[in-house]
Amino acid sequence: MTIYEIAKIAGVSASTVSRVINGKPGVNKETRKRVTEYLEKYHYSPNEAARGLVTGSHKMIGVLISDMRTAHHTDGLAYIQKELASQGYLCLIMNTGHGDEDKASYIQQLSQRRVDAVMLIGSTFESQIVGKAISEYIPRTPVVISNGYIDLPNVYGVIADERNGTVECVKHLASQNRKNLAFILDYETPSNLLKVEGFKFGLQQYINNNEVPRIIKTGPDFQGVYDTTRRLMEEHPETDGIIYSEDPLAASGLRALHEGNYAVPSRVAVIGINNSIIAQITTPTLTSLDNMLLELSMTCVRNLIDVLQGKHVVKKMLIYSHLVEREST
DNA sequence: ACTTACAGACGTGATCCAGA
DNA sequence: TCTGGATCACGTCTGTAAGT
């Protein structure tokens, strides 16, 4: 049913129906009642595409995520989608993959879809190519980055303080008199590089044994992390503490340590990052850095809605993280 | 035959204006 | 003054007419 069809049935013009729908004045009480009855009877639902032609807003937010399989990202995504829906916005969620060129291409697609605003989930969007795509395709569309920031007039960022969080992880291990630490990461994302920076700083600050920081890159798959952990323990049996860049990696590491008969935490302490559900279900349970991803997502949504409502929003915000101690340390 | 320009259509909101 | 009809604008696509 369109407003023309409702108008014809109700014996009025389309503009009168439009006034009734939008609660505008200038319609007789009896006419308004009659039109309202027909709108309800025929379950009238406005055509948002046509409405968008007039208002210039399709009440649609483009949400880009580099990898939908990343559990801690989808947790945040679920919250973001629900909160935006409660504000009347529809989320157009797109899985971009890790390549910068692909991300730029999706930003162009969002521009063609005329979205009201864009939300980028994850630090991997913090790149020159993405920044260039934003400048070229959506220079006037508000963009909020969850756990990242690009210095452009229309971009707002909310960042987890993972650098200092990782320093806290090292401090915690040092407090247990552990001196031979390793850091294992999968991708060299801006977020992971901040964690590495924090790891190096923590070593200088709290251990200071003049050794080269042991930072090991691995594949993101279970077997890759498993093998890396076993190799680390064989080549450096003195290792007494391992920090993994994500909880799933730490879970794979725990398995490798268990099967290699390296007792956790008495011989090796293990820390993950994200404080995801995984940290609570491993054996032993996993000490993990809570980088407040839910709080981060909530802040992103609040900022996005405030920007859309024309309110002042701080361009770059930092969310503090803290360590949640469990059995693995 | 091909290219270019223009009009009309889509659904809705806003505005103008005529009639009661 | 109130009510409601007519018209325009929005962005893009399609079809048609005109020109080369």
Side-chain angles (χ1 to χ4, degrees), chain A residues 217-262:
Chain A
K217 205 166 168 291
T218 179
D221 57 302
F222 166 76
Q223 197 59 46
V225 181
Y226 184 97
D227 294 343
T228 301
T229 304
R230 289 294 290 270
R231 201 164 45 247
L232 167 68
M233 295 310 295
E234 281 159 21
E235 290 172 7
H236 301 281
E238 72 280 13
T239 302
D240 54 9
I242 308 174
I243 301 172
Y244 291 86
S245 64
E246 309 264 345
D247 284 347
L249 273 64
S252 306
L254 282 176
R255 177 80 177 268
L257 292 167
H258 172 71
E259 291 181 4
N261 290 319
Y262 301 102

mmCIF file of all heavy atoms in Angstrom, chain A residues 217-262:
data_model
loop_
_atom_site.group_PDB
_atom_site.id
_atom_site.type_symbol
_atom_site.label_atom_id
_atom_site.label_comp_id
_atom_site.label_asym_id
_atom_site.label_seq_id
_atom_site.Cartn_x
_atom_site.Cartn_y
_atom_site.Cartn_z
ATOM 1 N N LYS A 217 55.816 -13.962 15.745
ATOM 2 C CA LYS A 217 54.643 -13.875 14.877
ATOM 3 C C LYS A 217 54.218 -15.288 14.480
ATOM 4 O O LYS A 217 55.045 -16.133 14.187
ATOM 5 C CB LYS A 217 54.985 -13.059 13.636
ATOM 6 C CG LYS A 217 53.794 -12.430 13.010
ATOM 7 C CD LYS A 217 54.164 -11.356 12.009
ATOM 8 C CE LYS A 217 52.934 -10.973 11.222
ATOM 9 N NZ LYS A 217 52.458 -12.030 10.323
ATOM 10 N N THR A 218 52.920 -15.526 14.487
ATOM 11 C CA THR A 218 52.405 -16.852 14.143
ATOM 12 C C THR A 218 51.191 -16.708 13.240
ATOM 13 O O THR A 218 50.662 -15.612 13.062
ATOM 14 C CB THR A 218 52.023 -17.612 15.432
ATOM 15 O OG1 THR A 218 51.505 -18.879 15.072
ATOM 16 C CG2 THR A 218 50.949 -16.879 16.211
ATOM 17 N N GLY A 219 50.755 -17.831 12.688
ATOM 18 C CA GLY A 219 49.513 -17.800 11.919
ATOM 19 C C GLY A 219 48.338 -17.770 12.882
ATOM 20 O O GLY A 219 48.484 -18.136 14.047
ATOM 21 N N PRO A 220 47.147 -17.339 12.427
ATOM 22 C CA PRO A 220 46.005 -17.208 13.323
ATOM 23 C C PRO A 220 45.306 -18.538 13.606
ATOM 24 O O PRO A 220 44.466 -18.624 14.487
ATOM 25 C CB PRO A 220 45.078 -16.270 12.555
ATOM 26 C CG PRO A 220 45.400 -16.519 11.122
ATOM 27 C CD PRO A 220 46.829 -16.922 11.063
ATOM 28 N N ASP A 221 45.671 -19.595 12.850
ATOM 29 C CA ASP A 221 44.974 -20.873 13.002
ATOM 30 C C ASP A 221 45.501 -21.635 14.218
ATOM 31 O O ASP A 221 46.605 -21.396 14.694
ATOM 32 C CB ASP A 221 45.149 -21.711 11.735
ATOM 33 C CG ASP A 221 46.616 -21.945 11.415
ATOM 34 O OD1 ASP A 221 47.356 -20.948 11.253
ATOM 35 O OD2 ASP A 221 47.033 -23.101 11.360
ATOM 36 N N PHE A 222 44.678 -22.564 14.695
ATOM 37 C CA PHE A 222 45.006 -23.328 15.902
ATOM 38 C C PHE A 222 46.371 -24.005 15.793
ATOM 39 O O PHE A 222 47.208 -23.901 16.674
ATOM 40 C CB PHE A 222 43.915 -24.370 16.160
ATOM 41 C CG PHE A 222 44.327 -25.399 17.171
ATOM 42 C CD1 PHE A 222 44.343 -25.083 18.527
ATOM 43 C CD2 PHE A 222 44.732 -26.664 16.780
ATOM 44 C CE1 PHE A 222 44.739 -26.022 19.473
ATOM 45 C CE2 PHE A 222 45.138 -27.597 17.719
ATOM 46 C CZ PHE A 222 45.143 -27.281 19.069
ATOM 47 N N GLN A 223 46.596 -24.694 14.659
ATOM 48 C CA GLN A 223 47.830 -25.467 14.507
ATOM 49 C C GLN A 223 49.064 -24.567 14.522
ATOM 50 O O GLN A 223 50.089 -24.917 15.115
ATOM 51 C CB GLN A 223 47.773 -26.291 13.208
ATOM 52 C CG GLN A 223 48.780 -27.423 13.145
ATOM 53 C CD GLN A 223 48.599 -28.428 14.297
ATOM 54 O OE1 GLN A 223 47.494 -28.838 14.594
ATOM 55 N NE2 GLN A 223 49.692 -28.783 14.968
ATOM 56 N N GLY A 224 48.949 -23.403 13.871
ATOM 57 C CA GLY A 224 50.066 -22.461 13.814
ATOM 58 C C GLY A 224 50.472 -22.007 15.212
ATOM 59 O O GLY A 224 51.668 -21.998 15.559
ATOM 60 N N VAL A 225 49.504 -21.651 16.017
ATOM 61 C CA VAL A 225 49.772 -21.167 17.383
ATOM 62 C C VAL A 225 50.322 -22.328 18.230
ATOM 63 O O VAL A 225 51.267 -22.155 19.011
ATOM 64 C CB VAL A 225 48.486 -20.599 18.017
ATOM 65 C CG1 VAL A 225 48.779 -20.090 19.421
ATOM 66 C CG2 VAL A 225 47.922 -19.483 17.167
ATOM 67 N N TYR A 226 49.712 -23.497 18.057
ATOM 68 C CA TYR A 226 50.142 -24.704 18.792
ATOM 69 C C TYR A 226 51.627 -24.980 18.521
ATOM 70 O O TYR A 226 52.437 -25.112 19.439
ATOM 71 C CB TYR A 226 49.282 -25.889 18.343
ATOM 72 C CG TYR A 226 49.544 -27.181 19.076
ATOM 73 C CD1 TYR A 226 48.742 -27.562 20.148
ATOM 74 C CD2 TYR A 226 50.585 -28.030 18.691
ATOM 75 C CE1 TYR A 226 48.971 -28.763 20.828
ATOM 76 C CE2 TYR A 226 50.819 -29.214 19.350
ATOM 77 C CZ TYR A 226 50.013 -29.583 20.418
ATOM 78 O OH TYR A 226 50.245 -30.767 21.078
ATOM 79 N N ASP A 227 51.974 -25.020 17.223
ATOM 80 C CA ASP A 227 53.352 -25.323 16.839
ATOM 81 C C ASP A 227 54.314 -24.245 17.332
ATOM 82 O O ASP A 227 55.414 -24.548 17.807
ATOM 83 C CB ASP A 227 53.473 -25.457 15.310
ATOM 84 C CG ASP A 227 52.703 -26.667 14.794
ATOM 85 O OD1 ASP A 227 52.372 -27.560 15.616
ATOM 86 O OD2 ASP A 227 52.410 -26.719 13.576
ATOM 87 N N THR A 228 53.905 -22.985 17.204
ATOM 88 C CA THR A 228 54.761 -21.876 17.643
ATOM 89 C C THR A 228 55.060 -21.990 19.133
ATOM 90 O O THR A 228 56.205 -21.799 19.572
ATOM 91 C CB THR A 228 54.063 -20.527 17.340
ATOM 92 O OG1 THR A 228 53.814 -20.452 15.943
ATOM 93 C CG2 THR A 228 54.925 -19.350 17.751
ATOM 94 N N THR A 229 54.022 -22.323 19.904
ATOM 95 C CA THR A 229 54.196 -22.430 21.358
ATOM 96 C C THR A 229 55.142 -23.576 21.711
ATOM 97 O O THR A 229 56.060 -23.421 22.541
ATOM 98 C CB THR A 229 52.829 -22.645 22.028
ATOM 99 O OG1 THR A 229 51.955 -21.580 21.636
ATOM 100 C CG2 THR A 229 52.949 -22.666 23.545
ATOM 101 N N ARG A 230 54.920 -24.731 21.051
ATOM 102 C CA ARG A 230 55.788 -25.891 21.333
ATOM 103 C C ARG A 230 57.246 -25.582 20.967
ATOM 104 O O ARG A 230 58.170 -25.926 21.699
ATOM 105 C CB ARG A 230 55.285 -27.113 20.553
ATOM 106 C CG ARG A 230 53.974 -27.679 21.085
ATOM 107 C CD ARG A 230 54.127 -28.261 22.492
ATOM 108 N NE ARG A 230 54.896 -29.470 22.520
ATOM 109 C CZ ARG A 230 54.385 -30.698 22.397
ATOM 110 N NH1 ARG A 230 53.082 -30.850 22.291
ATOM 111 N NH2 ARG A 230 55.148 -31.751 22.411
ATOM 112 N N ARG A 231 57.432 -24.916 19.814
ATOM 113 C CA ARG A 231 58.785 -24.579 19.354
ATOM 114 C C ARG A 231 59.451 -23.610 20.333
ATOM 115 O O ARG A 231 60.623 -23.749 20.669
ATOM 116 C CB ARG A 231 58.713 -23.993 17.940
ATOM 117 C CG ARG A 231 60.034 -24.074 17.197
ATOM 118 C CD ARG A 231 59.895 -23.865 15.707
ATOM 119 N NE ARG A 231 59.039 -22.758 15.341
ATOM 120 C CZ ARG A 231 57.879 -22.886 14.727
ATOM 121 N NH1 ARG A 231 57.423 -24.079 14.409
ATOM 122 N NH2 ARG A 231 57.161 -21.827 14.425
ATOM 123 N N LEU A 232 58.671 -22.636 20.791
ATOM 124 C CA LEU A 232 59.194 -21.649 21.750
ATOM 125 C C LEU A 232 59.725 -22.365 22.999
ATOM 126 O O LEU A 232 60.833 -22.079 23.475
ATOM 127 C CB LEU A 232 58.076 -20.659 22.134
ATOM 128 C CG LEU A 232 58.350 -19.759 23.345
ATOM 129 C CD1 LEU A 232 59.456 -18.747 23.030
ATOM 130 C CD2 LEU A 232 57.090 -19.011 23.777
ATOM 131 N N MET A 233 58.934 -23.319 23.523
ATOM 132 C CA MET A 233 59.317 -23.997 24.768
ATOM 133 C C MET A 233 60.511 -24.938 24.561
ATOM 134 O O MET A 233 61.305 -25.127 25.486
ATOM 135 C CB MET A 233 58.129 -24.778 25.337
ATOM 136 C CG MET A 233 56.964 -23.891 25.786
ATOM 137 S SD MET A 233 57.440 -22.512 26.865
ATOM 138 C CE MET A 233 58.041 -23.363 28.307
ATOM 139 N N GLU A 234 60.620 -25.491 23.341
ATOM 140 C CA GLU A 234 61.757 -26.371 23.062
ATOM 141 C C GLU A 234 63.051 -25.562 22.909
ATOM 142 O O GLU A 234 64.107 -25.934 23.431
ATOM 143 C CB GLU A 234 61.491 -27.196 21.806
ATOM 144 C CG GLU A 234 60.568 -28.378 22.077
ATOM 145 C CD GLU A 234 59.879 -28.889 20.818
ATOM 146 O OE1 GLU A 234 60.382 -28.620 19.708
ATOM 147 O OE2 GLU A 234 58.818 -29.531 20.958
ATOM 148 N N GLU A 235 62.937 -24.422 22.195
ATOM 149 C CA GLU A 235 64.137 -23.607 21.937
ATOM 150 C C GLU A 235 64.519 -22.747 23.148
ATOM 151 O O GLU A 235 65.676 -22.426 23.351
ATOM 152 C CB GLU A 235 63.893 -22.717 20.703
ATOM 153 C CG GLU A 235 63.831 -23.537 19.417
ATOM 154 C CD GLU A 235 63.405 -22.694 18.203
ATOM 155 O OE1 GLU A 235 63.293 -21.461 18.340
ATOM 156 O OE2 GLU A 235 63.187 -23.301 17.141
ATOM 157 N N HIS A 236 63.487 -22.334 23.906
ATOM 158 C CA HIS A 236 63.757 -21.474 25.075
ATOM 159 C C HIS A 236 63.013 -22.035 26.293
ATOM 160 O O HIS A 236 62.006 -21.468 26.736
ATOM 161 C CB HIS A 236 63.299 -20.036 24.796
ATOM 162 C CG HIS A 236 63.969 -19.431 23.610
ATOM 163 N ND1 HIS A 236 65.243 -18.911 23.644
ATOM 164 C CD2 HIS A 236 63.549 -19.301 22.324
ATOM 165 C CE1 HIS A 236 65.574 -18.462 22.440
ATOM 166 N NE2 HIS A 236 64.571 -18.690 21.610
ATOM 167 N N PRO A 237 63.521 -23.154 26.844
ATOM 168 C CA PRO A 237 62.811 -23.800 27.965
ATOM 169 C C PRO A 237 62.743 -22.937 29.226
ATOM 170 O O PRO A 237 61.960 -23.240 30.123
ATOM 171 C CB PRO A 237 63.652 -25.066 28.211
ATOM 172 C CG PRO A 237 64.946 -24.844 27.542
ATOM 173 C CD PRO A 237 64.743 -23.889 26.443
ATOM 174 N N GLU A 238 63.553 -21.859 29.236
ATOM 175 C CA GLU A 238 63.525 -20.978 30.413
ATOM 176 C C GLU A 238 62.291 -20.067 30.430
ATOM 177 O O GLU A 238 62.025 -19.397 31.430
ATOM 178 C CB GLU A 238 64.806 -20.120 30.458
ATOM 179 C CG GLU A 238 64.903 -19.010 29.412
ATOM 180 C CD GLU A 238 65.345 -19.485 28.019
ATOM 181 O OE1 GLU A 238 65.355 -20.718 27.770
ATOM 182 O OE2 GLU A 238 65.647 -18.636 27.162
ATOM 183 N N THR A 239 61.532 -20.040 29.312
ATOM 184 C CA THR A 239 60.346 -19.165 29.222
ATOM 185 C C THR A 239 59.378 -19.455 30.373
ATOM 186 O O THR A 239 58.991 -20.600 30.591
ATOM 187 C CB THR A 239 59.624 -19.391 27.871
ATOM 188 O OG1 THR A 239 60.544 -19.128 26.822
ATOM 189 C CG2 THR A 239 58.405 -18.494 27.735
ATOM 190 N N ASP A 240 59.014 -18.414 31.124
ATOM 191 C CA ASP A 240 58.116 -18.634 32.270
ATOM 192 C C ASP A 240 56.847 -17.767 32.204
ATOM 193 O O ASP A 240 56.056 -17.743 33.151
ATOM 194 C CB ASP A 240 58.852 -18.421 33.596
ATOM 195 C CG ASP A 240 59.535 -17.062 33.672
ATOM 196 O OD1 ASP A 240 59.289 -16.226 32.771
ATOM 197 O OD2 ASP A 240 60.310 -16.836 34.614
ATOM 198 N N GLY A 241 56.688 -17.083 31.088
ATOM 199 C CA GLY A 241 55.462 -16.301 30.935
ATOM 200 C C GLY A 241 55.203 -15.996 29.471
ATOM 201 O O GLY A 241 56.119 -15.613 28.743
ATOM 202 N N ILE A 242 53.967 -16.238 29.000
ATOM 203 C CA ILE A 242 53.641 -15.944 27.588
ATOM 204 C C ILE A 242 52.380 -15.077 27.557
ATOM 205 O O ILE A 242 51.375 -15.404 28.207
ATOM 206 C CB ILE A 242 53.388 -17.220 26.757
ATOM 207 C CG1 ILE A 242 54.546 -18.213 26.918
ATOM 208 C CG2 ILE A 242 53.187 -16.872 25.289
ATOM 209 C CD1 ILE A 242 54.304 -19.565 26.242
ATOM 210 N N ILE A 243 52.464 -14.006 26.786
ATOM 211 C CA ILE A 243 51.273 -13.179 26.544
ATOM 212 C C ILE A 243 50.872 -13.394 25.079
ATOM 213 O O ILE A 243 51.724 -13.296 24.184
ATOM 214 C CB ILE A 243 51.559 -11.683 26.794
ATOM 215 C CG1 ILE A 243 52.034 -11.472 28.241
ATOM 216 C CG2 ILE A 243 50.313 -10.841 26.508
ATOM 217 C CD1 ILE A 243 52.534 -10.065 28.529
ATOM 218 N N TYR A 244 49.614 -13.734 24.846
ATOM 219 C CA TYR A 244 49.105 -13.916 23.479
ATOM 220 C C TYR A 244 48.252 -12.689 23.118
ATOM 221 O O TYR A 244 47.531 -12.153 23.971
ATOM 222 C CB TYR A 244 48.251 -15.182 23.390
ATOM 223 C CG TYR A 244 49.045 -16.457 23.534
ATOM 224 C CD1 TYR A 244 49.313 -16.975 24.802
ATOM 225 C CD2 TYR A 244 49.531 -17.143 22.423
ATOM 226 C CE1 TYR A 244 50.045 -18.149 24.949
ATOM 227 C CE2 TYR A 244 50.255 -18.315 22.572
ATOM 228 C CZ TYR A 244 50.508 -18.820 23.820
ATOM 229 O OH TYR A 244 51.229 -19.983 23.966
ATOM 230 N N SER A 245 48.323 -12.278 21.830
ATOM 231 C CA SER A 245 47.639 -11.039 21.422
ATOM 232 C C SER A 245 46.110 -11.153 21.463
ATOM 233 O O SER A 245 45.416 -10.151 21.434
ATOM 234 C CB SER A 245 48.093 -10.624 20.023
ATOM 235 O OG SER A 245 47.714 -11.602 19.077
ATOM 236 N N GLU A 246 45.572 -12.385 21.509
ATOM 237 C CA GLU A 246 44.116 -12.593 21.580
ATOM 238 C C GLU A 246 43.849 -13.837 22.424
ATOM 239 O O GLU A 246 44.671 -14.758 22.435
ATOM 240 C CB GLU A 246 43.520 -12.856 20.181
ATOM 241 C CG GLU A 246 43.899 -11.859 19.103
ATOM 242 C CD GLU A 246 42.863 -10.769 18.920
ATOM 243 O OE1 GLU A 246 41.736 -10.942 19.417
ATOM 244 O OE2 GLU A 246 43.202 -9.750 18.306
ATOM 245 N N ASP A 247 42.671 -13.895 23.036
ATOM 246 C CA ASP A 247 42.301 -15.071 23.848
ATOM 247 C C ASP A 247 42.314 -16.391 23.061
ATOM 248 O O ASP A 247 42.803 -17.404 23.574
ATOM 249 C CB ASP A 247 40.913 -14.878 24.477
ATOM 250 C CG ASP A 247 40.972 -13.914 25.655
ATOM 251 O OD1 ASP A 247 42.090 -13.609 26.125
ATOM 252 O OD2 ASP A 247 39.896 -13.464 26.086
ATOM 253 N N PRO A 248 41.776 -16.442 21.827
ATOM 254 C CA PRO A 248 41.771 -17.717 21.113
ATOM 255 C C PRO A 248 43.181 -18.278 20.908
ATOM 256 O O PRO A 248 43.397 -19.490 20.965
ATOM 257 C CB PRO A 248 41.109 -17.394 19.775
ATOM 258 C CG PRO A 248 40.313 -16.168 20.026
ATOM 259 C CD PRO A 248 41.065 -15.409 21.059
ATOM 260 N N LEU A 249 44.140 -17.367 20.678
ATOM 261 C CA LEU A 249 45.527 -17.804 20.524
ATOM 262 C C LEU A 249 46.024 -18.401 21.834
ATOM 263 O O LEU A 249 46.707 -19.437 21.858
ATOM 264 C CB LEU A 249 46.421 -16.618 20.127
ATOM 265 C CG LEU A 249 46.569 -16.283 18.641
ATOM 266 C CD1 LEU A 249 45.234 -15.858 18.050
ATOM 267 C CD2 LEU A 249 47.587 -15.184 18.434
ATOM 268 N N ALA A 250 45.670 -17.741 22.943
ATOM 269 C CA ALA A 250 46.098 -18.215 24.264
ATOM 270 C C ALA A 250 45.498 -19.592 24.553
ATOM 271 O O ALA A 250 46.158 -20.455 25.148
ATOM 272 C CB ALA A 250 45.688 -17.214 25.333
ATOM 273 N N ALA A 251 44.252 -19.814 24.098
ATOM 274 C CA ALA A 251 43.601 -21.109 24.314
ATOM 275 C C ALA A 251 44.371 -22.209 23.572
ATOM 276 O O ALA A 251 44.610 -23.300 24.115
ATOM 277 C CB ALA A 251 42.156 -21.049 23.833
ATOM 278 N N SER A 252 44.802 -21.899 22.336
ATOM 279 C CA SER A 252 45.615 -22.868 21.576
ATOM 280 C C SER A 252 46.935 -23.104 22.296
ATOM 281 O O SER A 252 47.435 -24.233 22.365
ATOM 282 C CB SER A 252 45.895 -22.340 20.171
ATOM 283 O OG SER A 252 44.704 -22.003 19.524
ATOM 284 N N GLY A 253 47.511 -22.029 22.834
ATOM 285 C CA GLY A 253 48.769 -22.113 23.556
ATOM 286 C C GLY A 253 48.648 -22.990 24.796
ATOM 287 O O GLY A 253 49.535 -23.811 25.071
ATOM 288 N N LEU A 254 47.532 -22.842 25.527
ATOM 289 C CA LEU A 254 47.309 -23.652 26.732
ATOM 290 C C LEU A 254 47.305 -25.144 26.387
ATOM 291 O O LEU A 254 47.863 -25.966 27.102
ATOM 292 C CB LEU A 254 45.980 -23.269 27.390
ATOM 293 C CG LEU A 254 45.955 -21.976 28.219
ATOM 294 C CD1 LEU A 254 44.534 -21.704 28.712
ATOM 295 C CD2 LEU A 254 46.919 -22.047 29.407
ATOM 296 N N ARG A 255 46.655 -25.449 25.265
ATOM 297 C CA ARG A 255 46.590 -26.848 24.813
ATOM 298 C C ARG A 255 47.999 -27.375 24.518
ATOM 299 O O ARG A 255 48.359 -28.476 24.928
ATOM 300 C CB ARG A 255 45.700 -26.899 23.561
ATOM 301 C CG ARG A 255 45.571 -28.258 22.920
ATOM 302 C CD ARG A 255 44.559 -29.127 23.662
ATOM 303 N NE ARG A 255 44.400 -30.398 23.006
ATOM 304 C CZ ARG A 255 43.487 -30.661 22.077
ATOM 305 N NH1 ARG A 255 42.623 -29.731 21.723
ATOM 306 N NH2 ARG A 255 43.405 -31.847 21.526
ATOM 307 N N ALA A 256 48.799 -26.554 23.814
ATOM 308 C CA ALA A 256 50.163 -26.950 23.460
ATOM 309 C C ALA A 256 51.004 -27.170 24.719
ATOM 310 O O ALA A 256 51.781 -28.136 24.804
ATOM 311 C CB ALA A 256 50.796 -25.893 22.569
ATOM 312 N N LEU A 257 50.841 -26.273 25.687
ATOM 313 C CA LEU A 257 51.619 -26.385 26.933
ATOM 314 C C LEU A 257 51.201 -27.623 27.722
ATOM 315 O O LEU A 257 52.040 -28.346 28.250
ATOM 316 C CB LEU A 257 51.420 -25.111 27.774
ATOM 317 C CG LEU A 257 52.032 -23.835 27.169
ATOM 318 C CD1 LEU A 257 51.532 -22.594 27.893
ATOM 319 C CD2 LEU A 257 53.558 -23.892 27.204
ATOM 320 N N HIS A 258 49.894 -27.878 27.751
ATOM 321 C CA HIS A 258 49.375 -29.058 28.464
ATOM 322 C C HIS A 258 49.929 -30.346 27.854
ATOM 323 O O HIS A 258 50.426 -31.224 28.577
ATOM 324 C CB HIS A 258 47.847 -29.042 28.403
ATOM 325 C CG HIS A 258 47.216 -30.295 28.929
ATOM 326 N ND1 HIS A 258 47.213 -30.618 30.274
ATOM 327 C CD2 HIS A 258 46.605 -31.326 28.288
ATOM 328 C CE1 HIS A 258 46.612 -31.777 30.444
ATOM 329 N NE2 HIS A 258 46.235 -32.238 29.249
ATOM 330 N N GLU A 259 49.882 -30.434 26.532
ATOM 331 C CA GLU A 259 50.332 -31.650 25.853
ATOM 332 C C GLU A 259 51.861 -31.790 25.869
ATOM 333 O O GLU A 259 52.396 -32.872 25.675
ATOM 334 C CB GLU A 259 49.765 -31.705 24.429
ATOM 335 C CG GLU A 259 48.264 -31.925 24.482
ATOM 336 C CD GLU A 259 47.597 -32.008 23.112
ATOM 337 O OE1 GLU A 259 48.298 -31.967 22.099
ATOM 338 O OE2 GLU A 259 46.362 -32.114 23.103
ATOM 339 N N GLY A 260 52.560 -30.666 26.087
ATOM 340 C CA GLY A 260 54.019 -30.732 26.193
ATOM 341 C C GLY A 260 54.483 -30.897 27.635
ATOM 342 O O GLY A 260 55.668 -30.784 27.911
ATOM 343 N N ASN A 261 53.508 -31.080 28.546
ATOM 344 C CA ASN A 261 53.800 -31.238 29.984
ATOM 345 C C ASN A 261 54.510 -30.029 30.602
ATOM 346 O O ASN A 261 55.403 -30.182 31.426
ATOM 347 C CB ASN A 261 54.636 -32.517 30.227
ATOM 348 C CG ASN A 261 53.807 -33.755 29.986
ATOM 349 O OD1 ASN A 261 52.629 -33.817 30.380
ATOM 350 N ND2 ASN A 261 54.390 -34.725 29.298
ATOM 351 N N TYR A 262 54.102 -28.847 30.139
ATOM 352 C CA TYR A 262 54.606 -27.627 30.789
ATOM 353 C C TYR A 262 53.471 -27.129 31.685
ATOM 354 O O TYR A 262 52.439 -26.666 31.186
ATOM 355 C CB TYR A 262 54.950 -26.551 29.750
ATOM 356 C CG TYR A 262 56.010 -27.004 28.757
ATOM 357 C CD1 TYR A 262 55.647 -27.416 27.476
ATOM 358 C CD2 TYR A 262 57.371 -26.995 29.096
ATOM 359 C CE1 TYR A 262 56.600 -27.828 26.560
ATOM 360 C CE2 TYR A 262 58.320 -27.410 28.170
ATOM 361 C CZ TYR A 262 57.942 -27.822 26.905
ATOM 362 O OH TYR A 262 58.888 -28.224 26.013
#
